[in-house]
Amino acid sequence: MSIEIAKPSQILQPYIKQYWCIENVLLNGEHHIQRVIPSGLPELTLYLGNRPKIIGYKNDFEDNLILSGHQKGFYDLQIENKLSVFSIVFQPQGLMVFFRLPLTELYNESIPLKYLNEKLEQEILSKLTNEHSFEKRIQIIESYFIELLKEEYNRFEFARINHAINMIRLSQGKVSIENLASETCLSRKQFERKFSYLIGTTPKKYLRTVRLQLSLYLKSRNENLNITDLAYESGHYDQAHFINEFKIHTGFTPKQYFDSNAAYSDFFE
C-alpha cells in the first residue's frame, strides 16, 4: 500500500489542510472494511479505481468526484480489488470561500461535485483522472482553487468564522458557545445561525466532534491513558458521558475502538 500526504501552498493554507493519495491492491476475493468517523474536516475525494461500497446510513454514490461535508456519525467503506484515491482535505471553514450555497446542505452528506459546481467538476475531473502524478494533481487543484479565491466570496465572514475555529482549535474544543459569540461580536443566536450556514453544522455539534478528535489525539500521544483520564482530558463530564459520546460517533466503545484501530486525529495532527 502506498500513501502520500502533502501540504497546500501558502496562499491556500487558510482553506485547505492537506492533500493525500492512496494506492492499494487487494487479491481477488479479499476485501477490507474501513470505519469512517467524524473528523471535523470537509473533503473532496476523487476515486480512480473501484469505488468502495458504502455500508451504513449514507446513500451510496455512482460518481467519482465526491464532496463530503461535516459528518454526524460513522459509516463503513467496503474496499475490494484496486483502490486509488486522491483527496483534498479542507480546513473546517475552508468550503465557505469556494462554494456559493448554505453549507448546511452538505451536513452529513457526500454529494457528487457536479451537483454543486458543474463547471468546476467538468474542468478538473478529466485532468485529475488523466494525470498519474500526485504532485501534478496537486498543481491542477491549486490552480483552480487559487482562481476561485479571486471571487472574494464570503471574505468578510471568513475572518469572523476563522477566528472562532482558531479559538476552538486552541482551546481543544473546551470553549463555550457564548464565548465564541462574544469574540465574533455576535449574539449567541446570530453566531449559531452564521456558524451553521458557513460551516455546515451547529457550534454545539461541531464541538462534540472536536472533543472526539481530541480524545484520539491524546491517546495517540500517550497510549497508556486510561478511559477515565481520557474522558476528563478531552473535556467530558465523566467517564459514562465520554463512552456514550464516543459510541455515538464511532459505533464502538473507546476500548473496542482502540483495541482494533490506531489512535489518530485528522483534526489535530
Side-chain angles (χ1 to χ4, degrees), residues 125-232:
L125 180 57
S126 61
K127 290 185 178 181
L128 290 175
T129 302
N130 293 329
E131 180 54 67
H132 299 287
S133 161
F134 180 51
E135 291 76 16
K136 291 292 186 181
R137 285 176 180 154
I138 291 173
Q139 290 176 15
I140 291 167
I141 283 294
E142 295 223 329
S143 66
Y144 280 101
F145 280 105
I146 289 172
E147 192 65 28
L148 285 174
L149 283 180
K150 297 177 182 178
E151 297 184 17
E152 296 283 330
Y153 186 58
N154 274 329
R155 181 68 56 184
F156 174 76
E157 295 294 354
F158 178 83
R160 189 196 299 269
I161 297 299
N162 185 58
H163 180 59
I165 292 294
N166 284 336
M167 286 184 64
I168 291 171
R169 182 179 282 109
L170 290 172
S171 69
Q172 298 184 319
K174 304 168 191 174
V175 60
S176 70
I177 296 173
E178 288 78 7
N179 195 6
L180 291 171
S182 175
E183 283 288 324
T184 54
C185 301
L186 295 169
S187 69
R188 173 167 177 152
K189 183 174 289 187
Q190 288 173 322
F191 174 73
E192 289 178 329
R193 184 168 59 249
K194 282 187 178 293
F195 190 96
S196 297
Y197 186 92
L198 297 169
I199 294 293
T201 183
T202 67
K204 182 178 180 180
K205 291 177 181 177
Y206 192 73
L207 287 170
R208 291 172 67 189
T209 297
V210 172
R211 287 192 289 269
L212 166 71
Q213 287 291 314
L214 177 59
S215 70
L216 300 176
Y217 176 74
L218 293 171
K219 187 69 171 177
S220 72
R221 295 291 172 171
N222 182 2
E223 63 180 18
N224 295 319
L225 275 177
N226 61 41
I227 300 303
T228 301
D229 291 339
L230 203 56
Y232 287 115

Side-chain angles (χ1 to χ4, degrees), residues 24-268:
N24 192 30
V25 178
L26 297 176
L27 298 176
N28 287 336
E30 289 187 349
H31 71 271
H32 170 71
I33 303 297
Q34 179 65 48
R35 175 62 50 94
V36 180
I37 65 174
S39 67
L41 304 166
E43 196 161 358
L44 178 61
T45 304
L46 173 64
Y47 294 96
L48 296 148
N50 295 336
R51 289 192 308 274
K53 179 182 178 181
I54 293 179
I55 303 172
Y57 68 90
K58 291 176 68 67
N59 293 326
D60 210 338
F61 50 81
E62 296 181 356
D63 293 74
N64 287 346
L65 194 53
I66 304 294
L67 184 63
S68 299
H70 291 289
Q71 301 298 300
K72 175 183 179 181
F74 64 90
Y75 61 94
D76 291 326
L77 292 177
Q78 181 172 306
I79 300 166
E80 299 176 346
N81 300 321
K82 178 177 173 58
L83 177 69
S84 181
V85 177
F86 173 74
S87 192
I88 302 100
V89 181
F90 293 90
Q91 299 287 5
Q93 69 281 22
L95 291 185
M96 62 185 285
V97 299
F98 299 124
F99 295 93
R100 297 175 179 263
L101 77 160
L103 289 172
T104 46
E105 295 184 11
L106 284 178
Y107 179 59
N108 214 36
E109 297 287 349
S110 294
I111 299 175
L113 181 62
K114 67 184 181 184
Y115 297 138
L116 305 170
N117 189 327
E118 186 175 8
K119 180 175 181 291
L120 178 63
E121 192 261 2
Q122 290 176 344
E123 289 178 344
I124 68 174
L125 180 57
S126 61
K127 290 185 178 181
L128 290 175
T129 302
N130 293 329
E131 180 54 67
H132 299 287
S133 161
F134 180 51
E135 291 76 16
K136 291 292 186 181
R137 285 176 180 154
I138 291 173
Q139 290 176 15
I140 291 167
I141 283 294
E142 295 223 329
S143 66
Y144 280 101
F145 280 105
I146 289 172
E147 192 65 28
L148 285 174
L149 283 180
K150 297 177 182 178
E151 297 184 17
E152 296 283 330
Y153 186 58
N154 274 329
R155 181 68 56 184
F156 174 76
E157 295 294 354
F158 178 83
R160 189 196 299 269
I161 297 299
N162 185 58
H163 180 59
I165 292 294
N166 284 336
M167 286 184 64
I168 291 171
R169 182 179 282 109
L170 290 172
S171 69
Q172 298 184 319
K174 304 168 191 174
V175 60
S176 70
I177 296 173
E178 288 78 7
N179 195 6
L180 291 171
S182 175
E183 283 288 324
T184 54
C185 301
L186 295 169
S187 69
R188 173 167 177 152
K189 183 174 289 187
Q190 288 173 322
F191 174 73
E192 289 178 329
R193 184 168 59 249
K194 282 187 178 293
F195 190 96
S196 297
Y197 186 92
L198 297 169
I199 294 293
T201 183
T202 67
K204 182 178 180 180
K205 291 177 181 177
Y206 192 73
L207 287 170
R208 291 172 67 189
T209 297
V210 172
R211 287 192 289 269
L212 166 71
Q213 287 291 314
L214 177 59
S215 70
L216 300 176
Y217 176 74
L218 293 171
K219 187 69 171 177
S220 72
R221 295 291 172 171
N222 182 2
E223 63 180 18
N224 295 319
L225 275 177
N226 61 41
I227 300 303
T228 301
D229 291 339
L230 203 56
Y232 287 115
E233 290 191 30
S234 59
H236 293 83
Y237 301 124
D238 53 37
Q239 179 177 317
H241 181 257
F242 169 60
I243 293 173
N244 183 60
E245 283 286 299
F246 198 97
K247 192 168 185 178
I248 288 172
H249 284 97
T250 70
F252 298 113
T253 66
K255 184 180 186 309
Q256 290 171 334
Y257 186 88
F258 294 128
D259 280 349
S260 57
N261 295 275
Y264 180 84
S265 168
D266 295 293
F267 185 89
F268 286 104

